[in-house]
């Protein structure tokens, strides 16, 4: 028997008037689990990247790469 089948078997044993309580429990569990999952897509990961560099770094990256400018003045 699969786990899902075992769960269904246990649910079938519950009295009809208690099913609303079970439903609320399952619904709250689903909400808690979906809220606990961090969204770790590539775009969310990229948003968290912080770069410390001079303000002209993007425009002059080639100068920084070949050493004509240095990174000593990072604020």
């Amino acid at each position: 028997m699969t786990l899902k089948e075992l769960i269904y078997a246990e649910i079938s044993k519950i009295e009809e008037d208690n099913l609303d309580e079970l439903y609320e429990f399952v619904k709250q569990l689903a909400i808690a689990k979906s809220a606990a999952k961090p969204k770790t897509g590539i775009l969310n990961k990229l948003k968290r990247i912080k770069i410390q560099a001079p303000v002209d770094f993007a425009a002059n990256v080639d100068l920084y790469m070949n050493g004509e400018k240095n990174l000593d003045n990072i604020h």
Side-chain angles (χ1 to χ4, degrees), residues 1-64:
M1 236 183 197
T2 67
L3 185 56
K4 193 177 264 192
E5 290 170 332
L6 291 170
I7 292 170
Y8 288 143
E10 292 302 319
I11 290 172
S12 68
K13 296 176 188 175
I14 296 175
E15 298 284 328
E16 190 72 29
D17 56 339
N18 293 326
L19 286 177
D20 58 336
E21 186 178 346
L22 176 62
Y23 172 71
E24 287 301 319
F25 174 77
V26 171
K27 192 165 75 171
Q28 290 301 317
L29 179 65
I31 290 169
K33 290 292 183 180
S34 67
K37 287 183 183 176
K39 300 196 186 253
T40 56
I42 186 68
L43 293 178
N44 284 324
K45 288 180 182 178
L46 290 173
K47 285 181 191 177
R48 292 186 296 222
I49 295 175
K50 304 288 183 213
I51 299 174
Q52 287 185 325
V55 291
D56 68 339
F57 185 78
N60 297 307
V61 69
D62 55 332
L63 299 176
Y64 287 99

